[in-house]
Amino acid sequence: MSWIDIAAVADIPLRGARVVKTKLGCVAVFRTDEAEVYAVSDTCPHKGGPLSDGLVHDRKVTCPLHNWVFSLETGEAQGADEGRIETFAARVENGRVLLDGTALGRRTAA
Amino acid sequence: MKKLVVIGAGMASGRALEHLFETDPEAYEVTLFNAEARGNYNRIMLSPVLSGEKSYAEIVTHDEAWYRANKVTCRFGEHVVKIDRDRKVVVGEAGEVLYDKLIIATGSAPFIIPVEGRELPGVITYRDLDDTEAMIAAAGQPGANAVVIGGGLLGLEAAAGLRLRGMNVTVLHLMGHLMERQLDESAGYLLLKDLERRGIKVMTGASTKAILGKDKVDAVVLEDGTVLDADLVVMAVGIRPETRLATDAHLEVGRGVVVDAQMQTSDPDIHAVGECVEFDGALFGLVAPLYDQAKVLAKSLLGEVDAYAPKELSTKLKVTGCDLFSAGDFAEGPEREDIVLRDPSRGIYKRLVIEGDRLVGAVLYGDTADGSWYFGLIRDGTDIDDMRETLIFGPGFQGGASADPLSAVAALPPEAEICGCNGVCKGKITEAITGGAKDLTAVRATTKASASCGTCTGLVEQVLQVTLGGDFQMPGAQPICACCDLTHEDLRRLIKLKALKSQPAVWQELGWKTPNGCHVCRPALNFYLLADWPLEYQDDPMSRFVNERNHANIQKDGTFSVVPRMWGGLTNPNELRAIADAAEKYKVPTVKVTGGQRIDLLGVRKEDLPAIWTDLNSAGLVSGHAYSKGLRTVKTCVGTDHCRFGTQDSTGLGVKLEQILWGSWTPHKVKLGVSGCPRNCAESTCKDVGIICVDSGYQVSVAGAAGMELKETERLADVASEAEAIDLTVAFVQLYRENAKYLDRPYKWVAKVGLDWVKARVVDDLDERAALIERFEVSQSIYRKDPWAVPAREAGERSRYAPLADLTLEAAE
């Protein structure tokens, strides 16, 4: 793992998300609590909705297009829907959001 | 090569030749006679040609190239004089042709009623293109009068076409109701009303006595002495098979040329097809059986075995806008049972005739969508006993309309779709129920049925009831979501009662089962709190749906639409220029005028939103809130400023209302309309609040709908002054904000609390009215502002729309 400093955690609204652009697509970084973040693919597998624009509740996000709900921990769709979004390692240290550059690099190289 | 001669280039012979050439192009050398000076065209499309909806070129089925390619010798415009069976020769006006096989396809001749004056110029029939062109020419003179004799299929199509061409049209029909061969009386009545609405005069029970005129037709006289002016008389009382050539050739002729199931006449080398034949005592006038005959005939000519078998027929009227379908037999009888559905307000009539367990007839008027399904049941003789109760509602039974909706739901097959939004069928729901989903919420969670627009909620509950029987209690009220046990009404009451002023306070005090709610309860709770405590509660954008958070409407591809406000629908060159500039600068793919009298810029990228708003702001344009559960638009007409009918300044009132109400959040979107006179050009009577200006003042009405449901507004009050109209509107909106369930439009809320309850507070109790207005103003002191201005102005807010970081610029390691 190689952690990359992305931004201050305060740059992401509480129960909100911001997008990080990577070579093969957007990754949404969610802030579910004061110092809790999750990084997942920004693209809903259903119809490609931008998950970073979804409503965040608990450790889940609801897609803004058709209300699919995903666990930010596992990436699994909840309830009746079947699908999964890719998850990436992310953590908060001293008020900074860190993402795993190796994972994103693999994604970039893939 | 054998020689085939065809007399008549109609739809039946045309189709027979197609089949012949497709199967074996080398079998016959074909000569085609046609009395009309043209080849095959689609005769049933003459009605659209008459009405101007199609041109002749569009209805030609076989052109010169086709005849050339198939080496058909065309003798168009030439009458056949006789058939010489001994010499096997057809004698035309221009000479003889030998045949090995002959097809008689002479079609039918219009029936001319034997009245005085029937030979006058201006009296025509309606069979071919020449007739059609004569009618179009007659319709060319302004104010000309046409009388159509015959109210059957053909006559009514002629009448409708002539009316569309601008003629004054009267239809004379001998029988008591129109199209009596296809329709029963009720449907005939609806058809008559429809035609009258189109400006066609219909006289039933009308018997023609004579046609008057000297050099040309002038008038029609009826048996009862009525005289009708006429520049054109169309005879459309019926047709009879054209059999003269066959009779002269001593073939067996009854009412038509008699054929067997191979379409062969009494002479083995002569066949007949189409409207001129008689098979098993029956004549044919519609196109479907003709095509079947054509197929059999082609096979017979090639020595293949096939047999023609008549099928049930259905009829659709080709008059644009008249939805009419009939099939089978619908005469009443002792063994027969009728199922009738009438919806007078929508002009719908459906009648099914059942004999034993079979559907034998169907008449549909106003809604013919299920026609082909019924026709299939009649044709196939399907046993309909199991569907009897729901049959009238059609194959995709919609629910709610049956006297016993439960049995209707029980009768639905497992593959019947219940939830159209999410494509969930009944089988999937029953599976979920037997798998443990015992209530609506559980079914929603496991199948998504009724989780989108919610119109199928009732149906899903009925499936629950049918599946679970006594174990299922039809719920009186549903909790908001799985996060709590409260209904919306309970929640609103407890927020006020316990003075709960933040979301965490509500979650804690009212026992939320989740840490911080979900996408269903959070937007509702956020609204309830800001509506009840405008000064204390801080609006939470993260509890809002994406559109309200981003102040723009998300589109399917993740881009957004931007709609600047146009107060009362007014704009000016400066604003339009700014919109045009923005559309160009941000490469907006679609610019559309909305139904709310403003302009939508569709397809704006999220990161461009703050910049486009900055540009629009600098021209004075603010957010139109086209994305919000809040005030959307106030639609107006031009009122007294320009309109010669306007009674008050409707535009001015609309602008004032919009300036007072804009920015306010409401349980659902709110749309207003202000019309300057009862002509109601602003369509006010289907709005949430609609005002109609009259000479004596203002009619304020509320609770209209024009979305998934359609509903006219109900009158709140009539007031004399503009100020009072504004007060009533504001008080009504505030009462709605304080009391309605989130996502109930005003019409739904008023239906629950009753208009009288609303009137008592808004109209009658002046103190309450004033208090409502005051509370609205307090709220507006916070919310009457442009949400675009902040991100447009502040870098911090603006950054929210941009990516947090861009790793694409760094090399992969």
Side-chain angles (χ1 to χ4, degrees):
Chain A
M1 277 200 187
S2 67
W3 293 103
I4 308 175
D5 186 322
I6 298 292
V9 70
D11 290 338
I12 308 173
L14 180 59
R15 288 190 285 277
R18 293 283 298 279
V19 162
V20 173
K21 283 192 171 178
T22 71
K23 274 215 170 130
L24 283 184
C26 291
V27 168
V29 184
F30 289 89
R31 183 177 167 206
T32 49
D33 207 339
E34 284 305 323
E36 185 177 84
V37 294
Y38 289 95
V40 299
S41 161
D42 189 36
T43 310
C44 181
H46 176 221
K47 302 262 174 167
L51 294 173
S52 54
D53 277 320
L55 201 140
V56 183
H57 46 101
D58 198 357
R59 290 176 181 127
K60 296 177 205 147
V61 63
T62 300
C63 177
L65 290 194
H66 306 97
N67 291 342
W68 281 38
V69 180
F70 294 92
S71 160
L72 297 172
E73 296 171 285
T74 66
E76 293 292 337
Q78 308 288 294
D81 299 318
E82 283 174 30
R84 207 185 152 271
I85 46 172
E86 208 172 341
T87 58
F88 304 96
R91 63 189 176 103
V92 178
E93 205 174 273
N94 301 325
R96 302 294 296 178
V97 176
L98 306 178
L99 296 186
D100 177 10
T102 316
L104 294 172
R106 264 207 307 278
R107 181 181 162 89
T108 310
Chain B
M1 214 190 263
K2 287 195 279 186
K3 294 181 191 321
L4 173 68
V5 175
V6 182
I7 307 174
M11 301 190 67
S13 65
R15 183 55 70 95
L17 287 177
E18 276 175 28
H19 286 304
L20 191 65
F21 294 141
E22 271 164 30
T23 320
D24 187 354
E26 303 303 324
Y28 288 100
E29 185 187 322
V30 177
T31 303
L32 177 60
F33 281 94
N34 199 22
E36 262 185 272
R38 56 183 74 83
N40 299 77
Y41 57 90
N42 188 345
R43 220 167 273 264
I44 56 176
M45 296 309 278
L46 282 174
S47 295
V49 173
L50 175 59
S51 62
E53 289 159 287
K54 280 202 187 308
S55 68
Y56 169 65
E58 287 175 87
I59 68 166
V60 170
T61 51
H62 301 100
D63 55 14
E64 273 177 44
W66 188 86
Y67 296 122
R68 204 164 42 239
N70 292 294
K71 301 186 206 67
V72 176
T73 308
C74 299
R75 296 180 64 165
F76 296 159
E78 180 179 351
H79 286 266
V80 170
V81 179
K82 72 170 202 172
I83 301 165
D84 186 336
R85 288 166 60 192
D86 298 332
R87 293 196 295 134
K88 293 182 85 168
V89 161
V90 170
V91 183
E93 289 169 320
E96 300 184 345
V97 191
L98 280 166
Y99 70 81
D100 295 305
K101 293 280 181 189
L102 173 64
I103 298 175
I104 299 176
T106 43
S108 59
F111 188 72
I112 309 278
I113 50 170
V115 292
E116 184 192 324
R118 63 184 181 277
E119 312 282 346
L120 283 168
V123 179
I124 59 173
T125 57
Y126 184 23
R127 282 306 294 161
D128 58 25
L129 187 68
D130 295 333
D131 298 333
T132 308
E133 280 172 349
M135 282 194 262
I136 294 172
Q141 349 162 8
N145 299 304
V147 172
V148 176
I149 303 177
L153 210 50
L154 209 55
L156 295 183
E157 288 177 12
L162 291 171
R163 179 68 199 143
L164 277 178
R165 292 265 177 194
M167 290 190 95
N168 303 315
V169 181
T170 305
V171 174
L172 304 179
H173 192 56
L174 190 58
M175 298 301 172
H177 72 268
L178 294 168
M179 287 180 69
E180 77 285 348
R181 285 175 55 191
Q182 291 88 8
L183 297 184
D184 59 14
E185 267 188 280
S186 297
Y189 164 80
L190 285 170
L191 176 59
L192 182 131
K193 289 281 158 203
D194 246 1
L195 293 172
E196 285 179 347
R197 258 196 299 279
R198 280 149 200 276
I200 296 170
K201 205 171 146 198
V202 179
M203 300 173 75
T204 51
S207 177
T208 307
K209 187 179 182 185
I211 298 170
L212 306 181
K214 240 181 149 180
D215 314 320
K216 61 169 220 28
V217 60
D218 281 334
V220 173
V221 188
L222 305 185
E223 287 291 352
D224 67 4
T226 310
V227 179
L228 301 163
D229 287 341
D231 303 293
L232 175 73
V233 174
V234 180
M235 287 244 193
V237 289
I239 51 173
R240 53 176 176 75
E242 176 57 72
T243 58
R244 277 173 296 181
L245 286 172
T247 309
D248 292 348
H250 304 292
L251 294 169
E252 188 186 341
V253 174
R255 287 189 296 157
V257 182
V258 176
V259 293
D260 62 13
Q262 281 69 48
M263 310 314 296
Q264 187 184 301
T265 66
S266 51
D267 179 331
D269 290 324
I270 302 181
H271 290 73
V273 70
E275 290 185 335
C276 64
V277 308
E278 176 182 335
F279 173 77
D280 214 6
L283 302 178
F284 305 89
L286 297 171
V287 77
L290 269 52
Y291 284 167
D292 288 343
Q293 293 175 1
K295 204 185 247 172
V296 173
L297 170 59
K299 287 193 174 176
S300 301
L301 288 171
L302 294 170
E304 293 172 37
V305 183
D306 198 359
Y308 172 67
K311 292 182 192 148
E312 283 292 343
L313 296 176
S314 67
T315 308
K316 270 199 176 192
L317 184 66
K318 289 183 298 297
V319 173
T320 317
C322 281
D323 260 346
L324 183 158
F325 174 92
S326 97
D329 180 0
F330 45 87
E332 286 176 39
E335 252 86 277
R336 290 186 167 181
E337 188 189 331
D338 275 338
I339 301 176
V340 174
L341 174 77
R342 292 173 200 271
D343 185 343
S345 61
R346 288 161 64 212
I348 285 176
Y349 171 81
K350 300 184 182 188
R351 176 163 165 231
L352 304 177
V353 184
I354 292 172
E355 198 172 285
D357 294 332
R358 307 272 180 263
L359 181 66
V360 296
V363 181
L364 309 178
Y365 196 95
D367 174 8
T368 56
D370 296 333
S372 56
W373 184 67
Y374 290 124
F375 180 57
L377 296 179
I378 296 170
R379 189 191 52 212
D380 303 338
T382 311
D383 184 335
I384 52 90
D385 199 38
D386 289 345
M387 317 186 254
R388 191 179 290 252
E389 314 223 322
T390 58
L391 199 61
I392 194 87
F393 303 114
F397 169 64
Q398 318 278 307
S402 163
D404 181 7
L406 273 187
S407 63
V409 169
L412 288 176
E415 63 274 13
E417 189 174 80
I418 301 283
C419 173
C421 295
N422 294 301
V424 186
C425 63
K426 183 186 162 192
K428 202 168 164 196
I429 297 172
T430 46
E431 212 172 275
I433 297 169
T434 46
K438 303 280 185 224
D439 58 30
L440 184 65
T441 315
V443 169
R444 256 184 209 158
T446 44
T447 67
K448 296 221 122 188
S450 84
S452 291
C453 81
T455 45
C456 64
T457 302
L459 262 181
V460 174
E461 285 175 344
Q462 285 160 8
V463 174
L464 273 160
Q465 203 168 347
V466 166
T467 314
L468 294 174
D471 294 343
F472 179 73
Q473 274 311 110
M474 202 61 136
Q478 283 285 323
I480 297 167
C481 61
C483 299
C484 67
D485 297 324
L486 302 168
T487 64
H488 283 272
E489 290 72 14
D490 290 338
L491 176 59
R492 289 218 82 165
R493 192 171 44 79
L494 289 166
I495 286 172
K496 294 183 177 81
L497 190 74
K498 296 185 162 230
L500 302 172
K501 298 185 182 179
S502 72
Q503 291 202 42
V506 169
W507 298 332
Q508 182 58 36
E509 295 296 324
L510 302 181
W512 245 245
K513 294 178 243 175
T514 49
N516 43 37
C518 69
H519 65 269
V520 178
C521 61
R522 279 250 301 283
L525 181 53
N526 185 58
F527 167 74
Y528 294 152
L529 289 167
L530 73 81
D532 285 346
W533 318 110
L535 301 180
E536 291 102 322
Y537 178 74
Q538 176 76 42
D539 179 29
D540 175 26
M542 292 305 141
S543 293
R544 288 187 175 278
F545 179 59
V546 52
N547 293 349
E548 294 184 347
R549 192 172 343 117
N550 289 343
H551 314 298
N553 254 320
I554 196 164
Q555 307 297 309
K556 60 189 265 190
D557 61 354
T559 64
F560 287 83
S561 86
V562 170
V563 184
R565 194 167 285 286
M566 287 180 174
W567 307 95
L570 291 176
T571 185
N572 57 50
N574 186 42
E575 288 182 352
L576 291 172
R577 211 170 280 124
I579 291 171
D581 288 345
E584 273 184 353
K585 182 169 168 189
Y586 300 98
K587 300 189 171 53
V588 171
T590 305
V591 181
K592 187 184 180 304
V593 174
T594 74
Q597 301 186 333
R598 44 212 199 155
I599 293 173
D600 196 346
L601 304 166
L602 291 128
V604 180
R605 298 184 316 149
K606 183 181 174 185
E607 47 267 53
D608 285 339
L609 287 173
I612 197 170
W613 294 336
T614 308
D615 290 3
L616 293 169
N617 270 182
S618 59
L621 288 160
V622 297
S623 168
H625 294 85
Y627 46 81
S628 78
K629 314 287 180 236
L631 178 86
R632 294 282 179 92
T633 61
V634 182
K635 188 169 182 171
T636 68
C637 67
V638 290
T640 40
D641 271 1
H642 297 279
C643 179
R644 65 203 162 98
F645 298 119
T647 60
Q648 310 284 353
D649 178 14
S650 52
T651 327
L653 173 54
V655 171
K656 280 179 197 153
L657 282 168
E658 193 161 347
Q659 284 175 342
I660 292 167
L661 296 170
W662 81 294
S664 62
W665 298 103
T666 43
H668 207 310
K669 58 188 173 185
V670 170
K671 296 178 177 179
L672 273 66
V674 184
S675 296
C677 79
R679 285 167 193 79
N680 193 15
C681 294
E683 295 157 348
S684 307
T685 48
C686 62
K687 298 287 189 264
D688 298 298
V689 179
I691 296 176
I692 305 249
C693 302
V694 290
D695 221 29
S696 57
Y698 304 81
Q699 300 172 341
V700 182
S701 66
V702 296
M708 285 199 288
E709 285 179 55
L710 190 59
K711 183 183 166 290
E712 194 180 343
T713 50
E714 297 170 65
R715 189 74 58 85
L716 190 63
D718 291 359
V719 294
S721 73
E722 187 184 81
E724 205 177 350
I726 292 172
D727 279 359
L728 280 181
T729 304
V730 172
F732 174 80
V733 170
Q734 179 63 12
L735 193 69
Y736 168 59
R737 296 179 74 238
E738 290 178 2
N739 291 281
K741 166 177 173 265
Y742 188 65
L743 298 186
D744 264 1
R745 287 287 287 269
Y747 78 97
K748 282 201 176 165
W749 166 66
V750 170
K752 286 176 186 169
V753 299
L755 188 63
D756 288 342
W757 184 88
V758 174
K759 278 183 179 168
R761 278 147 191 84
V762 172
V763 183
D764 303 335
D765 186 338
L766 295 180
D767 292 339
E768 178 64 20
R769 187 197 297 180
L772 284 165
I773 295 169
E774 196 188 325
R775 291 201 291 275
F776 184 77
E777 273 308 314
V778 168
S779 174
Q780 284 295 75
S781 68
I782 306 293
Y783 291 105
R784 191 186 285 133
K785 62 173 192 224
D786 179 18
W788 290 354
V790 179
R793 205 174 45 231
E794 293 174 14
E797 260 300 298
R798 186 191 290 246
S799 68
R800 208 167 58 71
Y801 295 84
L804 188 62
D806 191 344
L807 300 183
T808 59
L809 304 173
E810 295 169 24
E813 288 166 56

